[in-house]
Amino acid sequence: MWPDFYYYGNFIHKPMKIATYNVNGVNGRLPVLLRWLNETSPDVVCLQELKAPQEKFPLSAIQDAGYNAIWHGQKSWNGVAILAKSNLEIKELRRGLPDDPDEAQSRYIEASVNGIVIGCLYLPNGNPAPGPKFDYKLRWFEQLTLHAQKLLTYNVPVVLTGDFNVMPTEQDVYKPERWVDDALFRPEVRAAFKNLVAQGWTDALRKLYPEETIYTFWDYFRNAYGRNAGLRIDHFLLSPDIEGRLLAAGVDKQVRGWEKTSDHGPVWIELADK
DNA sequence: ATGGCATTTAAAAAATGA
């Protein structure tokens, strides 16, 4: 039996471009965000690391750029949002995970847009590891995995995307040997990602580019972007009901080279109409 | 191997990040 939310709203028959972007401060990066929206025109955008309380989300600027938005803010840290072009309805399905390990941290928001369930997540960093932050990361990952399993039982199109803070394989790190003890690359975390994907999800960028070096993050230090010393930590996971619609995917790498930019680049996929 | 940079909050320096 399909849940009611699948039938929600107007369905517009068009290819859908969905993007994810860890903005690292939605107000500090607002000029960069607006320029990127204007230049690339995604239909749906998942944002992470708003670093803004609920009332400081720059809604009017985003509306002026042609987008609706829902968001889950938090003072100073974290914060996630889903944007959709003004002609697309956003039906919020939940904020926070079921049995969220810490309700005070705004790391998950989920909505239905044009017949697709969009889960927007900001998985904890987890450093230093081992330690309480690493334990929290693993607990959060467990709850995400349980929720992801639940979503699959609906047999509807689901896109789980955001900053997973995990490099899935050595292919996703410029110098893997330097990261083996880091919370983004430790065996437990890679195993957790692998375990999640094994439920039946498709890693969209890897599916289209199995051999390529793809990065989504470049440190501010040591000219990491100039040297292409990056990490692939922002991901798109597609449910079986939508993975066949995958047309294209990429990283808007040039945005990382702009002034006052995030240390992440925007990542996107394009999906065929149903 | 280390430290390098950038954000927010709030008024200097701490906490956080990856």
Side-chain angles (χ1 to χ4, degrees), chain A residues 61-72:
Chain A
I62 282 169
Q63 286 175 330
D64 290 347
Y67 288 85
N68 299 315
I70 60 169
W71 67 98
H72 186 22

Side-chain angles (χ1 to χ4, degrees), chain A residues 105-171:
Chain A
Q105 299 195 29
S106 300
R107 296 181 175 276
Y108 189 79
I109 191 165
E110 183 181 291
S112 163
V113 181
N114 206 19
I116 302 171
V117 175
I118 311 280
C120 171
L121 65 103
Y122 176 45
L123 212 133
N125 174 303
N127 277 305
K133 291 191 171 182
F134 190 63
D135 295 342
Y136 173 66
K137 177 176 196 167
L138 295 178
R139 286 207 310 280
W140 205 94
F141 220 140
E142 274 179 35
Q143 294 308 321
L144 174 67
T145 302
L146 288 170
H147 183 56
Q149 184 68 65
K150 179 84 175 172
L151 289 172
L152 289 182
T153 67
Y154 299 148
N155 298 312
V156 300
V158 184
V159 174
L160 265 186
T161 187
D163 179 357
F164 285 70
N165 267 319
V166 184
M167 296 85 87
T169 72
E170 295 196 346
Q171 197 183 357

Side-chain angles (χ1 to χ4, degrees), chain A residues 9-206:
Chain A
N10 296 331
F11 286 70
I12 295 173
H13 289 285
K14 66 187 290 295
M16 292 279 285
K17 185 174 175 184
I18 304 176
T20 190
Y21 188 18
N22 180 322
V23 285
N24 189 9
V26 71
N27 288 304
R29 312 297 185 196
L30 193 56
V32 166
L33 174 62
L34 296 175
R35 177 181 169 191
W36 168 71
L37 288 174
N38 184 54
E39 290 187 8
T40 67
S41 210
D43 295 292
V44 177
V45 180
C46 295
L47 298 177
Q48 302 86 35
E49 277 207 272
L50 303 179
K51 292 188 171 181
Q54 191 68 12
E55 65 276 12
K56 292 278 179 62
F57 183 80
L59 179 62
S60 53
I62 282 169
Q63 286 175 330
D64 290 347
Y67 288 85
N68 299 315
I70 60 169
W71 67 98
H72 186 22
Q74 181 187 331
K75 185 178 173 182
S76 301
W77 314 118
N78 310 317
V80 284
I82 298 175
L83 281 48
K85 283 237 172 104
S86 304
N87 61 336
L88 297 170
E89 293 181 63
I90 306 175
K91 178 180 164 66
E92 182 170 325
L93 300 174
R94 64 161 43 253
R95 51 184 64 199
L97 289 171
D99 299 312
D100 204 308
D102 182 358
E103 299 281 352
Q105 299 195 29
S106 300
R107 296 181 175 276
Y108 189 79
I109 191 165
E110 183 181 291
S112 163
V113 181
N114 206 19
I116 302 171
V117 175
I118 311 280
C120 171
L121 65 103
Y122 176 45
L123 212 133
N125 174 303
N127 277 305
K133 291 191 171 182
F134 190 63
D135 295 342
Y136 173 66
K137 177 176 196 167
L138 295 178
R139 286 207 310 280
W140 205 94
F141 220 140
E142 274 179 35
Q143 294 308 321
L144 174 67
T145 302
L146 288 170
H147 183 56
Q149 184 68 65
K150 179 84 175 172
L151 289 172
L152 289 182
T153 67
Y154 299 148
N155 298 312
V156 300
V158 184
V159 174
L160 265 186
T161 187
D163 179 357
F164 285 70
N165 267 319
V166 184
M167 296 85 87
T169 72
E170 295 196 346
Q171 197 183 357
D172 303 308
V173 195
Y174 67 100
K175 273 210 194 305
E177 66 276 12
R178 288 197 183 174
W179 289 85
V180 287
D181 292 324
D182 190 278
L184 279 69
F185 199 52
R186 282 177 68 101
E188 304 94 310
V189 178
R190 274 185 273 172
F193 187 84
K194 195 172 176 184
N195 181 46
L196 169 62
V197 172
Q199 293 176 340
W201 300 92
T202 297
D203 178 340
L205 274 86
R206 263 299 159 244

